[in-house]
Amino acid sequence: METGSLKRVLFLTGTRADFGKIKPLIKNLDSNPDFETQVFVTGMHLMKRYGSTANEVIRSNFKNVFLYMNQDATYHQSMDFTFANTVNGLGRYIREFPADLMVIHGDRIEAMAGALVGVLNNMRVAHIEGGELSGTIDDSLRHAISKLAHLHFVANDEARVRLIQMGEKPESIYVIGSPDIDVMLSKALPDIAEVKSHYEINFDDYFILLVHPVTTEIDSLESNLEELTQAIEASGKNFVVIYPNNDLGAETIFKAYQELEENPHFRILPSVRFEYFLTLLKHSGGIVGNSSAGIREASVYGVPTIDVGTRQNRRLKHTSIVSVGWERKAILHALQSLPKSTPVSLNFGSGDSAEQFLKALQTDALWQLPIQKEFCDL
Ligand code: UDP
């Protein structure tokens, strides 16, 4: 491809979990005359139950935003079906609105669909935050996406080395840090009074509870949730409870939370806008559950985490994180003995990822990497 010409860059977002991370990247390209951005919005973003977070994308005022519903909320749909729908819709979209590069993030099925559609249509694919380990099926998806992607923008050197171990070309890997750190360290976050008033949170002190299903442990999900909800109720502490993602098993979590609805110690929310979530996290007494926010983000603010179960068991564990199983006693004990704050960690970036991403996209070397991948032996 000829360098120096206008480049069209398509970003795919399927959840609040990836949007917070790719938003700073889109923003930076959007204001640069060398690039034209497109944003394909799908997945949970379009679902009322999960907070219609497509509105957050729309509010960002990016050019060329396209909404595509890849699932039907009125009946239970297996994840492979959602995957197939995404391949179908995204394929049609890119034939109508072709781009020079598609940017996907993480380990969800929408990203997997994006990687596949890109590769099968000879469109360059860039993967954000590959090369990481978390645990469960997310690892398999993340690594599979990396094997399809032509370019990798990773959070740290460990991720880079892992991708090289997986046969990826060193020149195709850029260490830019985790782009959410850019937002986390920015001075533009809302203040806590505004966040509490916006989401009608009336507690002075509170913890955050954020639990996702582990699709490979679906049989024990109901009893695990029972242990957890009993522990947090027994603690007498206040919780801002945030709904899970829409992975298989989410229904079981919704059911378990129904019991908490009448309890004044709980404020249950479908989703919190990224910047608002960060402020909420920063001022919380800690985060409980199995969200990546407990592993990646809490330690940046020195907020303690109780990481429950296996979902994050392969992630790098900072000293701010206490890992426990799904046992009422263990969770309660961890809650009662959490420190007020913990040492700060900046393992995943220093706040300039968007700048580094833009710089990489402005180099000829990036665009000259062949679209036919080669496996590099160690
Ligand atoms: N997040 C958010 N609003 C919320 C909950 C989470 O913006 O209400 C962000 C959070 O900061 C993190 C990302 O979404 O960057 C991932 O969180 P989640 O627990 O949804 O997914 P995971 O990464 O664990 O799959």
Side-chain angles (χ1 to χ4, degrees):
M1 133 170 243
E2 201 190 319
T3 51
S5 56
L6 180 81
K7 305 285 190 304
R8 287 178 208 287
V9 183
L10 165 64
F11 290 85
L12 171 70
T13 176
T15 71
R16 65 179 179 214
D18 63 53
F19 186 61
K21 291 171 185 170
I22 62 170
K23 187 173 158 186
L25 308 183
I26 310 175
K27 219 166 147 186
N28 222 18
L29 293 198
D30 218 31
S31 55
N32 189 297
D34 297 340
F35 298 96
E36 176 146 322
T37 64
Q38 300 164 210
V39 188
F40 185 90
V41 186
T42 188
M44 286 167 65
H45 279 307
L46 280 295
M47 308 272 105
K48 272 194 257 169
R49 175 177 234 180
Y50 295 98
S52 302
T53 48
N55 290 332
E56 200 182 322
V57 185
I58 293 166
R59 259 196 304 266
S60 305
N61 279 327
F62 296 129
K63 298 166 202 149
N64 312 315
V65 171
F66 185 86
L67 307 188
Y68 171 71
M69 204 171 274
N70 66 355
Q71 55 203 287
D72 188 331
T74 58
Y75 64 95
H76 170 70
Q77 196 172 283
S78 61
M79 289 165 74
D80 50 1
F81 200 71
T82 305
F83 169 77
N85 283 342
T86 315
V87 170
N88 206 341
L90 182 64
R92 277 178 292 183
Y93 171 83
I94 63 158
R95 280 182 283 282
E96 192 65 25
F97 303 104
D100 300 301
L101 175 71
M102 180 178 348
V103 182
I104 52 178
H105 169 274
D107 50 32
R108 299 191 58 79
I109 45 168
E110 282 87 1
M112 183 71 202
L116 207 60
V117 167
V119 164
L120 294 177
N121 286 280
N122 281 327
M123 182 185 286
R124 279 191 169 68
V125 174
H127 185 208
I128 313 290
E129 291 194 325
E132 302 204 1
L133 299 182
S134 55
T136 72
I137 196 168
D138 296 351
D139 273 349
S140 310
L141 283 169
R142 191 180 316 103
H143 299 330
I145 294 167
S146 290
K147 285 309 302 175
L148 291 167
H150 305 98
L151 298 162
H152 311 278
F153 292 91
V154 301
N156 55 25
D157 212 47
E158 284 139 52
R160 186 185 73 86
V161 170
R162 228 171 259 129
L163 287 181
I164 292 172
Q165 185 186 341
M166 282 164 57
E168 295 303 288
K169 214 184 200 135
E171 302 88 272
S172 68
I173 309 169
Y174 297 81
V175 181
I176 64 165
S178 182
D180 51 342
I181 308 286
D182 294 22
V183 187
M184 295 192 74
L185 301 181
S186 93
K187 302 224 166 2
L189 293 179
D191 65 34
I192 186 66
E194 184 187 340
V195 176
K196 282 187 180 174
S197 127
H198 186 88
Y199 287 98
E200 298 175 14
I201 297 165
N202 298 319
F203 316 129
D204 288 331
D205 303 318
Y206 62 89
F207 289 77
I208 294 175
L209 178 72
L210 182 42
V211 176
H212 301 291
V214 173
T215 58
T216 44
E217 297 171 6
I218 208 76
D219 294 344
S220 48
L221 186 60
E222 194 179 339
S223 55
N224 288 346
L225 260 288
E226 213 175 293
E227 294 282 315
L228 174 76
T229 48
Q230 283 179 8
I232 58 173
E233 279 185 295
S235 75
K237 297 184 191 296
N238 302 317
F239 282 86
V240 175
V241 181
I242 300 176
Y243 276 176
N245 64 29
N246 60 343
D247 283 348
L248 180 73
E251 281 305 324
T252 308
I253 299 184
F254 287 127
K255 243 188 243 153
Y257 288 169
Q258 270 168 11
E259 273 179 39
L260 307 176
E261 264 162 23
E262 301 303 315
N263 188 327
H265 287 293
F266 296 92
R267 172 77 177 119
I268 304 180
L269 300 165
S271 190
V272 176
R273 226 186 284 170
F274 185 51
E275 290 81 354
Y276 284 59
F277 176 80
L278 294 178
T279 296
L280 201 61
L281 177 65
K282 196 171 178 174
H283 290 84
S284 71
I287 175 166
V288 183
N290 57 9
S291 162
S292 65
I295 311 289
R296 300 291 296 263
E297 292 166 0
S299 57
V300 174
Y301 289 144
V303 167
T305 296
I306 300 177
D307 177 46
V308 191
T310 57
R311 189 167 183 263
Q312 306 289 350
N313 66 356
R314 296 298 311 275
R315 292 242 195 232
L316 191 76
K317 293 284 166 67
H318 185 248
T319 50
S320 61
I321 301 165
V322 180
S323 297
V324 292
W326 293 99
E327 294 102 33
R328 191 182 77 90
K329 262 191 174 163
I331 300 167
L332 185 59
H333 175 74
L335 265 169
Q336 285 162 339
S337 34
L338 269 194
K340 281 244 168 315
S341 67
T342 59
V344 168
S345 142
L346 284 182
N347 225 319
F348 296 102
S350 46
D352 61 352
S353 305
E355 215 31 58
Q356 293 199 51
F357 179 73
L358 172 66
K359 273 200 190 132
L361 261 63
Q362 284 174 321
T363 62
D364 289 349
L366 180 144
W367 297 101
Q368 281 159 6
L369 275 168
I371 204 146
Q372 175 59 60
K373 290 184 66 171
E374 275 171 40
F375 191 98
C376 296
D377 287 323
L378 285 180

